[in-house]
Amino acid sequence: MQIRSLLSQRIEAAFTALGLSGQALLQSASRPEFGDYQANGVMAAAKRAGQNPREVAQAIIDAIDLDGIASDLSVAGPGFINITLAPQFIANAATSPQPSVDPQRVVVDYSGPNLAKEMHVGHLRGTIIGDCIARVLESLGHTVIRQNHVGDWGTQFGMLLTFMAEQEEASDSLADLENFYRQAKQRFDTDDDFQTRSRQAVVQLQSGNADMLVEWQKFIEISMSHCQSLYDRLRIDLSDADMDGESSYNDDLKHTIEHLDSQGLLTESDGAQCVFLDEFKNKDGEVQPVIVQKSDGGYLYATSDLACLRRRVGDFKADRVLYFVDARQTLHFKQVFAVAAAAGISNSKVELVHMPFGTMLGKDNKPFKTREGALVKLSELLDEAIARASKLLQEREVQNKNPDIDDAELAALAEIIGIGAVKYADLSKNRTSDYVFDWDQMLSFDGNTAPYLQYAYSRTRSIFTRSGVDASALPEHVISEGEPERRLAVAIAGYQDLLEQVALEGFPHQLCAYLYDLAGRFTQFYEQCPILTSDDAVKTRRLTLTKQTGDVLANGLTLLGIQVAERM
Ligand code: ARG
């Protein structure tokens, strides 16, 4: 049930009936005394018509029909309308995502590491944020096409292949990919002849030299298996089927250039093929080129993204293409989208969006590094998270309190909490800003953290264990009574709205904030409303609200890609 759009429609219909025009601008109320929702659009509509906003607000309240939906409407401040929902209306809310009325085909481009190295902390954000949005879209019935646009075709492979050819025990040395890469890079940086041979190797590779391709494939396989093991540990929904390597566009690059040419978009500049678009001017007002082919014939990152869009729009028939990529690539995507539009590769019916994210910082406010200044490997970060969670569980004496939790269950719990904490700390921050990585904060059981929400979920479950009531025997809907119950029920009823918003805007932190608020309301309810000691009717009602809360918490955390435990 989409409460916000329903209320907006009704209010906007009242605008029309009163000869006004405008948007209802509906928001969740910021304080309980303002009701559940607040319409902020009256002031603007009244102003445009030269009328008194408070009088207009009252006229709308008199005209509007919200029978069975709202129990109270009132004018507030300079002309807000405060809306309190009717208990029987709230009661009908669903606790799992409902299919969208307008299902779309959405390509979600995420993770996309450059291969031949292991994934490091810099890959975390683009991997987990994209994965969360893909899950949310899918839960709403959209067809999601996940695309892992890995960098598997760049100049680094010339270097690696040339270095490999010099090794005696080539396959042994590949076991430590990181080390292999470092050695090759050192050779490359210090030896001109090696550098020249590396560049030749790229040309051979890209022109399809069979021997080269066999060796290249080895790198890709080792590298991708590293990635896959991280995806599995992080519970990221990516597999071989979602691979969208740059290499897969190799044959299409020249067609892409031909296509740009046929549209009259290419200009030669210093031997390179460029697209000049008026919207890309430098500060002196000169139009800056988007280079699509270098003077030596080589293609660029932008060229493969254009070829890639031909596939996504032409073959995949995408309605939306969402790119979860570092904010530092903002100009790149602006250029790619603009060239694609000019060339007819995309069109106005397809929505192309770069959903940028900021950098994860260390406590020194600089990009997160080891003490030696190296980038932290993602696998090591996750190991540390689990080790810290395990220590935390020992400190909390979880096994003393629950003697039947054995060591295996405790270890599983440490993993759920540790990995959940790392993911949640990231997902709960506004993705467009940088954030400081802080172990103590993310592993705290207080505040907007994964352990807090996981614990809140397990508490809803333990209430059932203690009640002896089978959750599946409860009614689907109950009508709440009293403020704490009502506030909890209102939050549950707002879940669908929230998911629609996340699907549209691509900000997982909105889902986190929602779940955190829900858990807070549950705590208040739990403190103020006795459950197990109440008589049957009240107990059933409160247990049902408890179950609904648990269902939403579990569903929301699952959409964030975070696991829950029945007890902790
Ligand atoms: N491999 C790229 C990088 O590491 C990210 C790919 C993002 N996706 C895209 N379609 N360009 O910077």
Side-chain angles (χ1 to χ4, degrees), residues 109-115 123 147-152 244 246 301 305 308 312 323-326 329 332-333:
D109 181 315
Y110 69 106
S111 198
N114 288 333
L115 298 189
H123 294 112
Q147 293 287 280
N148 192 2
H149 195 72
V150 297
D152 61 355
D244 177 48
E246 286 177 28
Y301 182 45
D305 260 324
C308 175
R312 292 176 181 183
Y323 295 82
F324 289 89
V325 186
D326 195 308
Q329 297 193 22
H332 165 76
F333 285 108

Side-chain angles (χ1 to χ4, degrees), residues 277-282 286-290 331 334-335 338:
L277 294 176
D278 278 345
E279 58 195 282
F280 298 109
K281 290 201 179 101
N282 65 11
E286 296 156 26
V287 179
Q288 297 297 102
V290 179
L331 178 62
K334 275 202 179 120
Q335 292 179 328

Side-chain angles (χ1 to χ4, degrees), residues 389-446:
S390 167
K391 197 164 149 255
L392 186 74
L393 290 174
Q394 249 127 46
E395 282 161 12
R396 284 174 69 89
E397 303 192 331
V398 169
Q399 265 174 320
N400 295 356
K401 287 181 219 150
N402 304 279
D404 52 337
I405 292 190
D406 62 18
D407 288 352
E409 187 174 341
L410 197 72
L413 211 49
E415 182 164 343
I416 291 173
I417 293 176
I419 300 216
V422 168
K423 292 183 80 172
Y424 192 89
D426 193 307
L427 295 168
S428 59
K429 311 289 186 309
N430 186 325
R431 67 169 156 74
T432 56
S433 14
D434 298 344
Y435 80 96
V436 175
F437 188 87
D438 180 347
W439 283 119
D440 295 329
Q441 187 273 331
M442 75 181 71
L443 281 162
S444 166
F445 274 81
D446 297 314

